[in-house]
Every structure is written in structure tokens, then in C-alpha cells.
Amino acid sequence: MFEYTDDHIADQFREGGNPLLDRLTSLPCIFCEEGTADEIAYVGQINRARITGRDVSLEISFDPEVPPLRNSMMSANRVELNMPYDFEFSRNHWAVKDVDLYRFLLRNVRPRRQRPAVFQIPEHENIEPTLVSAMMPFDAGFNVVYDAIRQAADNAGLRCRRADDIWENAAIIQDVVALIDRSRVVVCDCSGRNPNVFYEAGIAHTLGREVILITQSEHDIPFDLRHLRYIRYHNNGEGRATMTQALQARMQAILGH
């Protein structure tokens, strides 16, 4: 106990050489294994502590509102956690730090999201940094447009998919939403004013994704989206090639290349 704890802090939690367990158990805790890689750590509290001889028995509980952490994240933020020494991640000990744990979590851990009723999204985001999704009408006439979008993604070092490339769920909308939620960039083709595409663009905007609008006619951009920049293209070989270049440039700008 009190390894890697500043003396002036340890003195606040012991009396006559004995730890003040009631005071210690009032603090929030991080419970973690040894290591600085993918080991899982949890935030919670000590419900009850008892000292018997040289042993300390603990009854603990994890906070279900805080997602599991990884030791690698804590190691990367070791200065903020006041855990500067390598041995702190490789010794079984109980330390007390002058750190506001919940302020640290607010800065470094994504909060839970409001869960929709119509479809399911994971409790915490898991964005694939190289994934682009294409939202467009399910019409064979748009296959060549999809090929042009996919070429732009390839040129930018990304990979592109659309919902009909996958079949993971019984409901198509669940596959669509899951694809949007995992995507770094979402391309929405508003050509023909397809209501499904508008719905998907709204989902992407709500989830905070980078959305690129494309269209064959500016009149197909809904009024609520007219303030956003979009790429207009002609659906012929030359027009799609020009669109590919414009899309590639926009994707690279989003990625900071």
C-alpha cells in the first residue's frame, strides 16, 4: 500500500502507521492488471476493505457507466495520471494519486450515447479510420458511379463499401447504420432525390461523420442541405473521372494529407 504515492498524500490516509480504510474507500479507483498494452482496466470503487495481518481483503464493484479502459491508453497519458514510472505498470500495489479521475475520463473516454429505438448502434464508437461508405440508390445505373467513388477512396489510401456489399443483419437498415457508424467518411449521392439517401445522410450527420454530398443536379440537394458544399458530376466517363478527382481531394483534405 502507498507505493508510488507522494508522502504528503499518504500521510492524509494513515494514522499511527495504519491506513484509514474508511477514508481510502471513499475514493474512486482504477483497477488494472500489470502491463502497458491491451490489458483491460476498470473504473469503480472499493465497497469494503479489511486488513488481516499482512493481507488486505477488498470487495469491489465496477462502474457500469464507464467503459473498460486499456492500459496502453493510461500509459500514453501517464503524466496526466501522475504515473510517470514504468514500474507503476508492473507491480501489484495500491497507490493514491492527486488526480481528478472523472475529469481525466471526460477528456479521454468517449461517453455513452443515446440509444435509438428504430435501429441499434454500439454503446461506444468504433470508427475504422480507413473506411468510406457510399450511400446511393439501389439501382444498377449507379454501379458505375460507385466504381468512381471506390476509385477515389483507393487513390486516397482508403477502402469503400456500400450496404449491399455486406449482409450481417436480418434488417437492411441495420447493415446500413452499422456501416455508417464505422465509417470515417460517408459519401451520399443525392441524385434523383432518393428518400433513403436523405435518411442515411441525416443519420451520418447525427453520428458526427464526415459527409461528402455528390449529385448530378443541384436541384436534388434538399433545401436543408443547400448551405453545405457538394460535388456536382455528369454521369458519363469524363464526368465520373472528374468526380473521382474531386472526391479524392476532399477525402485527402479530411484526412489531413
Side-chain angles (χ1 to χ4, degrees):
M1 290 184 67
F2 300 123
E3 280 197 342
Y4 305 106
T5 302
D6 293 338
D7 289 340
H8 74 279
I9 295 176
D11 289 343
Q12 299 175 39
F13 294 94
R14 61 188 170 197
E15 188 175 85
N18 297 315
L20 299 173
L21 293 180
D22 288 346
R23 189 174 296 179
L24 283 166
T25 56
S26 68
L27 301 176
C29 299
I30 295 178
F31 302 98
C32 60
E33 302 177 43
E34 298 176 0
T36 58
D38 289 334
E39 298 86 4
I40 301 299
Y42 299 90
V43 172
Q45 66 183 44
I46 297 172
N47 301 321
R48 186 165 177 261
R50 184 175 66 255
I51 296 178
T52 305
R54 295 178 57 85
D55 295 329
V56 181
S57 300
L58 305 177
E59 294 179 6
I60 65 175
S61 60
F62 299 150
D63 189 337
E65 296 299 316
V66 181
L69 312 177
R70 293 193 181 275
N71 283 18
S72 56
M73 184 275 283
M74 294 191 296
S75 179
N77 294 279
R78 58 174 59 198
V79 173
E80 189 174 353
L81 284 169
N82 192 19
M83 298 173 64
Y85 305 109
D86 289 339
F87 280 125
E88 295 196 64
F89 291 91
S90 60
R91 275 185 61 79
N92 185 11
H93 66 286
W94 182 357
V96 182
K97 302 292 185 179
D98 186 13
V99 173
D100 186 329
L101 176 58
Y102 286 101
R103 179 174 293 182
F104 169 81
L105 294 173
L106 283 172
R107 283 197 293 260
N108 294 280
V109 178
R110 294 183 181 275
R112 288 172 178 260
R113 302 190 288 184
Q114 181 68 34
R115 307 297 289 275
V118 177
F119 46 78
Q120 299 298 314
I121 57 175
E123 196 166 283
H124 304 284
E125 291 181 328
N126 186 24
I127 299 173
E128 298 179 26
T130 62
L131 179 61
V132 175
S133 58
M135 302 294 137
M136 53 180 47
F138 287 108
D139 186 307
F142 283 87
N143 288 344
V144 289
V145 178
Y146 177 47
D147 291 339
I149 297 171
R150 191 164 49 186
Q151 185 63 58
D154 289 342
N155 294 346
L158 304 171
R159 61 188 183 92
C160 184
R161 302 184 76 185
R162 61 180 180 180
D164 55 347
D165 290 336
I166 57 179
W167 188 355
E168 299 173 351
N169 299 279
I172 182 64
I173 186 58
Q174 188 59 53
D175 280 337
V176 170
V177 172
L179 179 58
I180 292 172
D181 193 38
R182 295 197 305 267
S183 297
R184 176 71 175 82
V185 178
V186 181
V187 178
C188 295
D189 192 335
C190 298
S191 302
R193 301 180 68 84
N194 185 281
N196 291 337
V197 174
F198 292 165
Y199 183 64
E200 291 151 4
I203 292 172
H205 279 142
T206 301
L207 293 177
R209 299 297 169 266
E210 293 281 359
V211 177
I212 305 175
L213 303 177
I214 64 174
T215 184
Q216 296 173 26
S217 169
E218 66 272 17
H219 300 296
D220 288 341
I221 300 293
F223 174 79
D224 286 350
L225 300 180
R226 293 276 174 85
H227 65 288
L228 302 176
R229 297 179 66 178
Y230 57 87
I231 297 172
R232 184 184 176 191
Y233 70 94
H234 295 288
N235 195 12
N236 55 39
E238 182 179 356
R240 291 190 297 272
T242 300
M243 180 193 68
T244 294
Q245 294 176 353
L247 270 177
Q248 176 185 340
R250 178 61 185 139
M251 291 175 185
Q252 290 173 330
I254 290 172
L255 297 175
H257 294 174

